[in-house]
Amino acid sequence: QVQLVESGGGLVQAGGSLRLSCAASGRTFSRYSMGWFRQAPGKEREFVAAISCCDGSTSYADSVKGRFTISRENAKNTVCLQMNSLNAEDTAVYYCAAELFGRLSRLRRDYGYWGQGTQVTVSS
């Protein structure tokens, strides 16, 4: 089992950057593929990015490709999301999620563990 805690959210102007972090508990972090999702007010939670447990491969939603970068440090049980060139459409609560081994899924149902979320607000 793994517990996830996000941090790094906040208020930023359009065009700015933020770096989100997700700290995971447990000694088997390296076995989990990790994902970031986001949920804007009145909208469904949507996939943002994912990184494989095992070979470092990544996947991104088209809306963030080229602007966001997901990375992980297994020694620190941490996954990060570097967000650049932010715009108002990126405003949402961002959630970290974990999938044992995993397949870089974009589906919420494939992730068994979730953090509580961190708010990102981009002012235009």
Side-chain angles (χ1 to χ4, degrees):
Q1 196 166 9
V2 62
Q3 293 181 320
L4 306 172
V5 179
E6 303 96 334
S7 61
L11 175 65
V12 63
Q13 289 188 332
S17 299
L18 278 176
R19 185 175 180 85
L20 305 183
S21 294
C22 174
S25 65
R27 294 178 290 179
T28 59
F29 177 72
S30 61
R31 299 180 187 179
Y32 289 85
S33 288
M34 302 298 297
W36 285 97
F37 289 73
R38 66 186 182 186
Q39 188 167 16
K43 294 188 176 181
E44 294 288 318
R45 192 172 301 187
E46 65 176 4
F47 171 79
V48 175
I51 186 165
S52 169
C53 60
C54 308
D55 63 7
S57 57
T58 58
S59 176
Y60 295 94
D62 288 344
S63 60
V64 307
K65 198 172 295 183
R67 299 188 298 123
F68 291 11
T69 303
I70 188 171
S71 61
R72 67 188 296 159
E73 281 193 68
N74 288 342
K76 295 184 178 181
N77 280 16
T78 300
V79 61
C80 293
L81 186 69
Q82 177 66 42
M83 307 186 295
N84 299 328
S85 301
L86 287 161
N87 57 59
E89 288 68 40
D90 297 316
T91 294
V93 177
Y94 283 70
Y95 297 89
C96 175
E99 178 189 16
L100 185 61
F101 295 115
R103 301 162 294 164
L104 291 180
S105 174
R106 298 180 175 221
L107 302 177
R108 290 178 294 167
R109 66 170 182 258
D110 288 333
Y111 290 83
Y113 303 96
W114 293 83
Q116 83 289 347
T118 185
Q119 176 71 47
V120 171
T121 303
V122 183
S123 63
S124 56

